[in-house]
Amino acid sequence: MIDAKDAILNRRAIRAFKADPLSDDQLREIVRIAQKAPSWIDSQTGRVIIVTGDKLATMRNHHQRLNEDPDIHTNSDVPFIPIADWDQASQKNMTTRGATGPQIFGADSWNQMKSRQSALLFNAPAVAYLTLPKGYAPWALYDLGALGEAIMVAAQSLGIDSIPAFEFIKYPDQLRQALNVSADYEFILGIGLGYADHDAQINRVNAPRMDLNQVLTIIK
Ligand SMILES: Cc1cc2nc3c(=O)[nH]c(=O)nc-3n(C[C@H](O)[C@H](O)[C@H](O)COP(=O)(O)O)c2cc1C
């Protein structure tokens, strides 16, 4: 068990996992710890569905086929916002982060690597889907973000790696069908969980953070 500071600092998005599975006990422990995340008047609106084993293997195959079909596009419950529609400062960060992979590997092999791993759902042995009831209050989205970070930090503290990804919830209608979830629930984000494949080149990429002074203002 490592402390909170190290768990936060060590966490990074992993895009290639080893096949080693996680036990139900490990998955339950991660979410049990993360449930301590705060929420508006303790509303605890978010629900977590974890998929693993044969079910995830089937869903991974299906995801791969959907990604390969040029006629199928994302229909995510939370809309996909193209980079050009974000504010200028965020756009700059996104292009810098996106450039780290191409800088290391060259644009073509980076794009190939990333789309292959995305289609495979990064080979994560477990995926935690974060859901909210349709018509949720905006504060519930804030709370779900806190729950998501708590899941990843809790996992890290137990030696388990993760990636938060839009990729997991790109096709929510198919997820609702595969997981027998009613249309009353929206799939907001997925978190892949497992053990990083440290030999995989794609995991060499890291994302720089802005200078603290650009993010923080202290006023006295
Ligand atoms: C809401 C959200 C969606 C994301 N979606 C994806 C994704 O679809 N594919 C991907 O490779 N990474 C995805 N990421 C991971 C981010 O790219 C990553 O967290 C960011 O670059 C910072 O890097 P770090 O997590 O390694 O510190 C997502 C992260 C968040 C928070």
Side-chain angles (χ1 to χ4, degrees):
M1 194 81 161
I2 56 174
D3 72 16
K5 177 180 151 191
D6 285 342
I8 291 169
L9 292 176
N10 291 345
R11 185 215 59 80
R12 62 195 190 88
I14 293 302
R15 296 186 173 82
F17 290 86
K18 295 196 281 194
D20 307 17
L22 299 175
S23 68
D24 285 9
D25 282 351
Q26 286 175 301
L27 296 169
R28 292 176 63 83
E29 181 65 354
I30 290 168
V31 179
R32 189 188 69 78
I33 296 170
Q35 269 190 290
K36 192 70 178 67
S39 62
W40 180 280
I41 322 183
D42 204 22
S43 46
Q44 306 178 67
T45 314
R47 295 290 178 272
V48 183
I49 301 171
I50 298 188
V51 184
T52 184
D54 291 345
K55 185 71 184 180
L56 185 58
T58 308
M59 286 171 62
R60 180 178 289 115
N61 285 339
H62 191 203
H63 187 82
Q64 208 170 358
R65 286 202 302 279
L66 294 171
N67 265 17
E68 281 164 4
D69 188 333
D71 296 328
I72 299 202
H73 304 288
T74 179
N75 178 29
S76 58
D77 290 331
V78 177
F80 178 86
I81 312 287
I83 292 180
D85 293 348
W86 290 66
D87 64 282
Q88 288 295 321
S90 302
Q91 284 190 37
K92 187 161 171 274
N93 284 337
M94 284 188 254
T95 18
T96 313
R97 197 208 71 76
T100 326
Q103 272 163 19
I104 302 175
F105 305 110
D108 285 351
S109 61
W110 168 247
N111 287 337
Q112 273 171 25
M113 223 183 264
K114 194 157 185 284
S115 70
R116 189 180 58 235
Q117 287 307 111
S118 300
L120 291 171
L121 300 177
F122 315 103
N123 269 326
V127 178
Y129 294 95
L130 306 188
T131 73
L132 286 175
K134 230 185 187 67
Y136 59 81
W139 294 108
L141 201 55
Y142 176 92
D143 297 345
L144 197 72
L147 179 65
E149 171 71 355
I151 286 175
M152 292 184 280
V153 171
Q156 194 72 44
S157 78
L158 299 170
I160 295 164
D161 299 296
S162 63
I163 180 171
F166 172 84
E167 188 70 33
F168 295 119
I169 47 79
K170 227 168 154 181
Y171 310 114
D173 293 337
Q174 287 84 347
L175 289 178
R176 273 184 281 273
Q177 197 176 7
L179 301 174
N180 205 17
V181 170
S182 88
D184 296 340
Y185 269 83
E186 295 195 356
F187 282 80
I188 309 298
L189 201 73
I191 297 177
L193 295 164
Y195 298 103
D197 177 354
H198 292 294
D199 295 331
Q201 288 198 314
I202 197 166
N203 285 337
R204 283 172 50 202
V205 170
N206 58 32
R209 294 304 194 262
M210 294 163 72
D211 187 279
L212 179 63
N213 294 325
Q214 293 178 278
V215 176
L216 171 68
T217 307
I218 297 179
I219 301 175
K220 291 181 181 166

